[in-house]
Amino acid sequence: MRKTSLVRSLALAVLLLPAAGAALAAMNTDPDWPCIQRKVPELSLGQIWNGPDLPQTAKDWAKDQEIPALVKELAARRVPIAEAEKQIRDFATRLPADQKNDRMTMLVQGLFDYMNAERSQVISGIARYARKQLELAARLRKEASEVDALRTKPDADVNEVALRTDRLIWETRIFEERVQSLTYVCEVPTLIEQRLYALAKAISEILRIANSE
């Protein structure tokens, strides 16, 4: 492909992102939100917990000697969900009967507080990422227009045109890679929510069995 037509293609490519962003903003009513997934900044406990109401003592989970470390381990997506569920069962098995309900509900509250905060941080990061992409798109559009204009000048410096065209090609490639990365990053809040629900469900089942015995 000749560089002249390539520059025009690049200009078209960077023009498309704001249009897509505007469509997504209309869907999500947030101009900084670039994802197809609906933006929900924070979860409510009722979205992931279908067990009995948690006692007030559950909020003291951070003071427990074991639960904070366990929460971080269970929340880590590198840990397969089956392994995380096993860790929950092992923890429950070690608990004395008179502590099981209180400390398992602490674990629920801890997972919710920790993973909800993690999810909110990811969502804020996505918004910042998207703003930078829009700024980069505007700069690339401007540069593509200037390069096209420069090429039409009869006295244009051939070396300058080649240098600016090569730089535009490189920066547009980076831009496109970041667009692809954003597609994957947009899935992270949903993955955190799904993991939190699965962990809470495992705890709910343990408490159901314990309370029925």
Side-chain angles (χ1 to χ4, degrees), residues 92-125:
T93 300
R94 296 196 308 269
L95 295 176
D98 61 344
Q99 294 183 19
K100 183 166 293 187
N101 191 76
D102 284 348
R103 296 185 72 192
M104 293 302 287
T105 54
M106 280 184 179
L107 182 58
V108 174
Q109 186 71 57
L111 285 168
F112 175 77
D113 291 348
Y114 185 90
M115 296 179 72
N116 192 32
E118 177 190 20
R119 183 179 172 281
S120 294
Q121 289 172 0
V122 170
I123 288 173
S124 295

Side-chain angles (χ1 to χ4, degrees), residues 121-135:
Q121 289 172 0
V122 170
I123 288 173
S124 295
I126 290 172
R128 290 193 299 271
Y129 191 99
R131 284 195 296 270
K132 289 180 180 179
Q133 279 293 89
L134 289 172
E135 291 169 1

Side-chain angles (χ1 to χ4, degrees), residues 38 117 142:
R38 187 168 63 92
K142 182 174 181 292

Side-chain angles (χ1 to χ4, degrees), residues 149-188:
L150 183 62
R151 297 177 77 88
T152 63
K153 293 182 178 181
D155 59 343
D157 184 325
V158 175
N159 291 331
E160 181 185 358
V161 171
L163 179 63
R164 292 183 66 174
T165 299
D166 288 343
R167 184 173 62 197
L168 180 62
I169 291 170
W170 174 252
E171 291 182 344
T172 302
R173 186 172 296 138
I174 293 173
F175 173 84
E176 291 172 342
E177 289 174 356
R178 286 172 60 88
V179 170
Q180 291 298 319
S181 297
L182 185 59
T183 301
Y184 296 113
V185 172
C186 280
E187 298 176 0
V188 174

